[in-house]
Amino acid sequence: MDFLSDSVSLSRMQFALTAIFHMLWPVLTTGMSIYLVVVEGMWLKTRNPDYYYHARFWSKLYVLNFGIGVASGVPMEFQFGTNWAPFSEAVGDFFGSVLGFEASMAFMLEAGFLGIMLFGWGRVPPVIHYMGTIMVAFGANLSTFWILTANSWLQTPAGGELVDGKFVVTDYFQAIFNPFMVNSVLHMFFATLETSLFVIGGISAWYILNRNQRYQAFFTRSFKIVLAVAIAVAPLQIYIGHLSGEQVYHQQPTKMAAMEAQWETAPGGQPADWSLVAIPNGKMERNDWEISVPNGLGYILEFKKDLSEPIQGLKEWKPEDRPGMVGLIYYSFRIMIAIGFFLAGLMGITVIQWLRGKLAPAQIANQKWLMLGWIVSAPLGYIAIESGWIVRCVGRQPWTMYEQIRTVDAASKLPPGEILTSLLAFTGVYSLLFISALFFGSRIIRQGPNFDLPIPKETLEPTPVEHTPDRRPVES
């Protein structure tokens, strides 16, 4: 329990708690906003009321996630000033600016048009309402761009240098378009979209299995919409994840060694085994037990037998210069990969059944195991995203800014008791928020769509103006 007296470890735990909890909510808002754009666009094109009711129903889940995301995101950012003040002072000129862009440029855009998207039905013309929905989706995904830009810059710093402990920016565009940025943004974009698709698909599958005649056709439509989009998204996500792994291989060798629990160096120009399952032992600097695939690592990283560059083993660095918690990084990486392939496989099997005509309205409810697979898949995207962020951030240790600012130097010197108190307070509040979200979310799902909502007209009729009599005295 030594960590209870270590302010750096407690600050890391607190930031991990707030980040992991916060990440649950914008995942669905960024991905589901795109779905809302699709279904509302289909309503405008076809005037099929089904699409209108889809937009109204799923937007309820959207706003629930948006509200909790805002409530949990603000405390997370405040920690840069409370628990990580030396870090903020060192990199604030760029890192602080990017977070400011996210708040003022992306979040305000999303929040500003959210009122139109939620309450503008029948109050503004349908085309204007659709523009509001598009701007909400654009703002939500612009947030992803800025957040991933900031984090990518910490992974591969660019556009300046540290001078007397402060990062001086010489090229903002080079800093923004740092080596990790493009793949990181794309990887997160498709992760949020894929997660949202399988959440919508899982809820739809649950309704289909219930055989509720009133809702079965409605949710069969949403199920097929997300399936059609997932056909492209699921394999693309795997490919972009592979590209991200290649970047780690070339630019973050310590993280790559931890991801593979590689203690000894694998020379370049030779094949290397890929560890499928292992029990890493950090104290003994070895894997106590391991199942490996012969010559598999080269094929995974570069689609060929021999590695072009060596994979340095963890023993190449001093213990204080390499990531701790190798087992956590190792298994988080494999959980993320396994979920990605499971979702892609589920999508592939479902497409085959679709082509066989098994998803027709009269037969889809009979696909019990397939629907159960989609229900089980609903939370898996969240687990994959959280696992990916663990690999990304824990694997970067012992650096907050890779190879430039150590985590121990980035933390504020606070009394451990005060950090522990705030950590426990966050745990209590976030547990309450999580339970509330499950309660209200399940209630929205159980209630289902409201088919009694009036459908907006193509053009709004002007509101009649009541004229009051002129009460001025008549001049004599």
Side-chain angles (χ1 to χ4, degrees):
M1 303 292 284
D2 291 341
F3 68 90
L4 293 178
S5 60
D6 181 6
S7 61
V8 176
S9 297
L10 288 170
S11 289
R12 286 183 63 190
M13 289 178 62
Q14 180 171 291
F15 194 85
L17 170 70
T18 54
I20 287 173
F21 182 81
H22 171 68
M23 190 59 61
L24 294 171
W25 316 107
V27 163
L28 197 62
T29 57
T30 51
M32 187 176 283
S33 63
I34 297 174
Y35 178 83
L36 293 174
V37 169
V38 171
V39 293
E40 188 173 347
M42 292 298 294
W43 173 63
L44 286 176
K45 181 180 179 180
T46 65
R47 290 299 170 178
N48 184 335
D50 249 15
Y51 293 114
Y52 166 74
Y53 293 124
H54 273 287
R56 296 300 299 266
F57 172 71
W58 296 108
S59 64
K60 294 180 183 178
L61 286 176
Y62 178 96
V63 74
L64 175 65
N65 281 262
F66 176 84
I68 299 180
V70 172
S72 60
V74 173
M76 185 180 71
E77 292 200 6
F78 278 171
Q79 289 176 84
F80 290 117
T82 56
N83 297 65
W84 304 97
F87 165 75
S88 299
E89 186 175 358
V91 301
D93 285 355
F94 178 76
F95 191 81
S97 298
V98 172
L99 293 185
F101 294 158
E102 189 273 334
S104 60
M105 190 183 301
F107 173 72
M108 290 300 177
L109 181 66
E110 180 184 9
F113 282 92
L114 185 62
I116 296 177
M117 189 185 84
L118 294 177
F119 307 114
W121 297 106
R123 293 181 173 87
V124 298
V127 173
I128 300 300
H129 186 278
Y130 187 48
M131 286 295 298
T133 304
I134 291 173
M135 296 308 291
V136 167
F138 179 68
N141 286 275
L142 188 59
S143 286
T144 300
F145 170 79
W146 286 120
I147 294 298
L148 268 295
T149 295
N151 187 269
S152 298
W153 180 76
L154 296 179
Q155 307 283 340
T156 50
E161 60 181 347
L162 278 174
V163 178
D164 297 329
K166 187 176 179 65
F167 191 87
V168 178
V169 182
T170 56
D171 189 332
Y172 255 86
F173 285 102
Q174 186 182 6
I176 290 173
F177 294 96
N178 60 80
F180 262 31
M181 190 276 286
V182 174
N183 281 342
S184 296
V185 171
L186 289 176
H187 197 32
M188 190 63 187
F189 169 77
F190 282 106
T192 59
L193 181 55
E194 185 176 23
T195 299
S196 300
L197 292 176
F198 279 88
V199 167
I200 296 170
I203 294 171
S204 301
W206 179 77
Y207 261 104
I208 291 168
L209 277 184
N210 282 344
R211 296 177 181 270
N212 186 315
Q213 294 299 321
R214 188 181 185 203
Y215 296 139
Q216 187 162 323
F218 179 89
F219 285 102
T220 297
R221 186 184 297 275
S222 60
F223 184 81
K224 290 183 177 179
I225 292 172
V226 299
L227 178 59
V229 180
I231 291 172
V233 170
L236 266 175
Q237 173 68 333
I238 292 175
Y239 177 67
I240 295 169
H242 166 75
L243 295 180
S244 298
E246 279 188 343
Q247 283 191 320
V248 173
Y249 169 42
H250 294 298
Q251 299 187 38
Q252 291 187 326
T254 53
K255 182 187 291 186
M256 174 56 65
M259 287 163 54
E260 297 300 334
Q262 189 87 22
W263 300 97
E264 306 291 342
T265 297
Q270 298 181 22
D273 296 345
W274 177 61
S275 173
L276 179 63
V277 183
I279 301 177
N281 187 330
K283 291 182 178 180
M284 301 300 295
E285 297 185 332
R286 69 183 187 193
N287 295 331
D288 291 338
W289 175 83
E290 184 175 18
I291 297 177
S292 59
V293 178
N295 307 328
L297 201 50
Y299 289 110
I300 290 173
L301 288 174
E302 301 180 291
F303 302 114
K304 62 182 183 179
K305 183 177 180 180
D306 296 337
L307 296 168
S308 62
E309 299 177 12
I311 294 184
Q312 294 177 289
L314 287 165
K315 290 183 180 180
E316 296 289 339
W317 294 274
K318 298 176 182 179
E320 63 269 21
D321 291 335
R322 63 195 188 207
M325 296 185 284
V326 174
L328 176 64
I329 300 167
Y330 177 87
Y331 277 105
S332 294
F333 182 57
R334 275 147 183 77
I335 288 171
M336 177 181 64
I337 292 174
I339 291 174
F341 277 100
F342 175 82
L343 296 181
L346 179 62
M347 177 275 300
I349 293 171
T350 311
V351 169
I352 292 172
Q353 293 297 86
W354 194 0
L355 295 175
R356 294 178 61 202
K358 300 295 185 180
L359 301 188
Q363 298 189 50
I364 189 170
N366 297 326
Q367 307 300 307
K368 180 179 178 181
W369 290 107
L370 186 63
M371 295 299 107
L372 285 175
W374 277 82
I375 294 171
V376 169
S377 73
L380 294 184
Y382 293 101
I383 298 173
I385 288 175
E386 299 288 12
S387 298
W389 275 97
I390 288 171
V391 174
R392 187 177 180 88
C393 295
V394 179
R396 188 183 64 225
Q397 299 303 315
W399 309 96
T400 302
M401 186 178 183
Y402 191 66
E403 293 189 334
Q404 297 200 38
I405 300 178
R406 286 182 176 271
T407 302
V408 68
D409 298 323
S412 303
K413 299 186 185 304
L414 298 172
E418 293 183 6
I419 306 175
L420 181 60
T421 301
S422 62
L423 173 60
L424 293 174
F426 276 124
T427 302
V429 172
Y430 283 177
S431 298
L432 181 61
L433 284 174
F434 186 72
I435 294 171
S436 300
L438 291 180
F439 172 77
F440 288 109
S442 62
R443 190 169 74 171
I444 290 170
I445 294 169
R446 288 195 307 270
Q447 286 177 344
N450 182 2
F451 295 129
D452 296 326
L453 291 171
I455 298 176
K457 299 178 182 179
E458 291 190 29
T459 57
L460 297 179
E461 297 179 0
T463 304
V465 179
E466 295 184 3
H467 295 281
T468 57
D470 191 346
R471 300 290 186 183
R472 291 177 296 177
V474 177
E475 294 182 4
S476 56

